[in-house]
Amino acid sequence: MNDYNISFLIQELIKGAAFTQIAAGELLLNMVAQHPNVNVDVNKKMISRLANRQDEVQSAIQSAAGSQAILGYAENYVKEKIIPVLSLIAQTQIASDILAQMKRDTSVPDKIISNCEMQYQNTDYVGFFRDAILFALGRGHNTLPEAKVKSDDFYYLTEADSRCPHCGNRLWKKVNGKVRNQYRIIHIYPEDLEKDQEAEFVKIKPRPIQLDVPENKIALCQDCAEEYLMDPTAEEYQSLLEKKQEISRHTKEREISSKSNLEDEIVDVIKAIAQPDAGKGMPPFAQVLSLDEKFKPEFSTLKRTVTGWVNDFYPFVEKQFSINDTNSANTSDLIRAEVNTIYLQYKKLGMNQQEICDSIANWMLNKNGLDTQYKTACYIVVAFFIQNCAIFEAAS
């Protein structure tokens, strides 16, 4: 990683001066956290999450680190707390490593690098460490970057209707035409509770056997997530459980209200593809496989989605094919053979399972001149044929 941030500085003190993780974190964060106007309690959980790039620096510390009012306090802190515990050799080596990391990180402004380079050349280590640490504390960039929303996250964002269930703020915003995510998916029952807290939490609801189950995850805005993870309380746990129950109920209500429209669209798709000129294609698979056997581990999200569609709509789709069997030949078998032929062609091109599902759904749309409102209905018909063994064999 080429990122210059607080996690890098913690690791640098561990490597360059034999600090423990906790000691390194306290030394760096307390430069701002102990200022009379900030007063943030730095604890081992905060440090651990920062070191492992699971959190950004606490917002109060970030804000104060970027202000001019902190400079004098920070300079005295470096003189009294940092310089005395680092040998001259350690000061030189750590400063050199910091400067090299800043240059590797293309997001660090040239002005910051030039300033620190001048301080380094002049052996002004008080000014160097003051400015280098304050910059890292104030800039963010500590959590691992993600180019896009994880596919698993869409479920929780949709469930919350893209608003924080705790404070109501939007979980994303547009900046200069680009979407900027402002959410975190957290565990409602936290993963690293203290022993005395566990007893309070399990009284409300026992710890899930697996923390990563959907029932124990919720999308919150960055601020609410940070506040809860840093200081989880039984009261907040109770509140989040209630909010999760509420938004899950609303999601089910939306699904029920939209199901009738989907069924109408599925009927339209089946009527469109159940034409007399449907290709005979290749024989369908004879081997009956469960969905668990068909999906590769890396497509677990797709498997979960397809399983949901099969559970909700398979009998309905099967019935519609039966209703539309107006010819002597079984229409669903003819279409199944055609879908199987298309699948084998896409497989031969080296497409993965997600790409194949997308392409077959698009093929159904384009072949029959359907507009994009039928996209979900096409995916549900694709799920029918996955269950029906026209698409996907046993995963290797």
Side-chain angles (χ1 to χ4, degrees):
M1 286 289 181
N2 292 329
D3 301 325
Y4 178 71
N5 50 32
I6 196 64
S7 176
F8 167 79
L9 290 182
I10 291 173
Q11 306 306 327
E12 190 61 29
L13 285 179
I14 294 171
K15 179 186 73 173
F19 276 74
T20 65
Q21 185 181 88
I22 299 302
E26 288 177 342
L27 187 66
L28 295 166
L29 293 166
N30 282 334
M31 176 189 283
V32 173
Q34 289 185 344
H35 189 279
N37 294 334
V38 181
N39 286 326
V40 171
D41 180 26
V42 174
N43 55 59
K44 62 182 181 180
K45 179 164 56 171
M46 177 191 296
I47 294 168
S48 174
R49 294 185 69 86
L50 288 172
N52 292 306
R53 304 195 65 177
Q54 295 175 294
D55 280 331
E56 292 293 350
V57 175
Q58 211 266 0
S59 56
I61 296 177
Q62 274 198 50
S63 177
S67 69
Q68 292 292 316
I70 204 79
L71 288 177
Y73 180 89
E75 183 167 332
N76 287 331
Y77 184 92
V78 172
K79 289 177 182 177
E80 296 172 6
K81 303 287 187 181
I82 295 180
I83 296 297
V85 298
L86 297 177
S87 69
L88 184 58
I89 293 174
Q91 292 175 43
T92 304
Q93 185 58 58
I94 292 171
S96 175
D97 290 348
I98 287 174
L99 197 54
Q101 185 75 355
M102 284 183 172
K103 291 177 179 178
R104 284 190 290 264
D105 187 341
T106 56
S107 67
V108 177
D110 291 339
K111 183 179 178 181
I112 297 292
I113 295 174
S114 297
N115 179 63
C116 287
E117 193 159 33
M118 182 177 66
Q119 291 167 330
Y120 175 73
Q121 294 297 338
N122 294 332
T123 63
D124 176 13
Y125 292 131
V126 172
F128 181 94
F129 286 120
R130 177 200 63 195
D131 294 345
I133 297 170
L134 286 177
F135 177 69
L137 290 172
R139 75 183 307 238
H141 289 247
N142 195 61
T143 52
L144 291 168
E146 296 177 0
K148 57 183 179 181
V149 176
K150 293 179 183 177
S151 57
D152 282 357
D153 290 357
F154 284 114
Y155 172 82
Y156 304 104
L157 293 172
T158 301
E159 180 183 61
D161 200 21
S162 294
R163 288 193 175 276
C164 178
H166 194 271
C167 68
N169 288 336
R170 291 202 65 84
L171 298 177
W172 57 268
K173 66 178 180 180
K174 275 193 173 182
V175 179
N176 297 325
K178 295 182 179 180
V179 173
R180 178 176 295 174
N181 297 319
Q182 299 186 122
Y183 74 91
R184 285 188 61 180
I185 309 299
I186 68 162
H187 292 134
I188 298 174
Y189 190 103
E191 56 187 330
D192 50 3
L193 281 178
E194 301 289 344
K195 288 291 184 183
D196 58 336
Q197 290 179 302
E198 289 181 2
E200 298 179 22
F201 277 61
V202 296
K203 285 180 184 177
I204 299 170
K205 185 177 181 180
R207 182 188 192 277
I209 297 173
Q210 297 292 332
L211 291 181
D212 273 336
V213 295
E215 293 77 15
N216 191 47
K217 295 168 82 172
I218 192 170
L220 300 179
C221 70
Q222 293 278 12
D223 288 343
C224 290
E226 178 185 280
E227 184 177 344
Y228 182 65
L229 291 174
M230 287 302 173
D231 185 24
T233 64
E235 292 76 16
E236 283 297 305
Y237 176 56
Q238 174 76 53
S239 176
L240 286 179
L241 286 172
E242 292 171 356
K243 292 179 191 305
K244 175 70 176 183
Q245 186 177 38
E246 181 182 355
I247 62 176
S248 295
R249 185 179 68 250
H250 288 329
T251 299
K252 291 295 182 186
E253 290 171 357
R254 290 197 299 268
E255 288 174 355
I256 291 169
S257 65
S258 65
K259 190 170 181 178
S260 59
N261 289 336
L262 261 178
E263 288 180 347
D264 290 342
E265 291 168 8
I266 291 168
V267 171
D268 290 342
V269 170
I270 291 173
K271 286 180 178 178
I273 63 178
Q275 299 301 319
D277 63 348
K280 294 183 179 180
M282 297 175 64
F285 293 112
Q287 184 183 16
V288 177
L289 300 168
S290 70
L291 292 178
D292 284 337
E293 294 174 289
K294 294 177 183 178
F295 285 95
K296 297 180 179 179
E298 61 266 34
F299 297 104
S300 59
T301 302
L302 177 62
K303 183 185 77 172
R304 187 170 66 188
T305 302
V306 169
T307 301
W309 283 333
V310 167
N311 290 341
D312 287 344
F313 292 104
Y314 188 93
F316 178 81
V317 174
E318 188 175 45
K319 179 180 178 182
Q320 296 310 310
F321 273 119
S322 175
I323 291 172
N324 282 285
D325 275 343
T326 55
N327 303 317
S328 56
N330 189 304
T331 307
S332 62
D333 282 348
L334 289 173
I335 299 169
R336 183 168 176 261
E338 185 175 18
V339 168
N340 179 232
T341 301
I342 295 295
Y343 159 66
L344 291 173
Q345 291 172 353
Y346 288 150
K347 180 187 174 187
K348 190 174 181 180
L349 292 175
M351 291 184 175
N352 64 39
Q353 291 185 316
Q354 182 67 67
E355 291 169 337
I356 287 171
C357 286
D358 293 341
S359 296
I360 295 177
N362 287 328
W363 167 77
M364 287 183 180
L365 280 177
N366 298 332
K367 175 181 182 291
N368 301 290
L370 299 169
D371 61 43
T372 54
Q373 83 174 73
Y374 291 95
K375 190 69 171 281
T376 300
C378 286
Y379 274 111
I380 291 170
V381 176
V382 169
F384 171 83
F385 284 115
I386 292 174
Q387 176 67 36
N388 212 307
C389 295
I391 302 171
F392 302 153
E393 57 269 42
S396 55

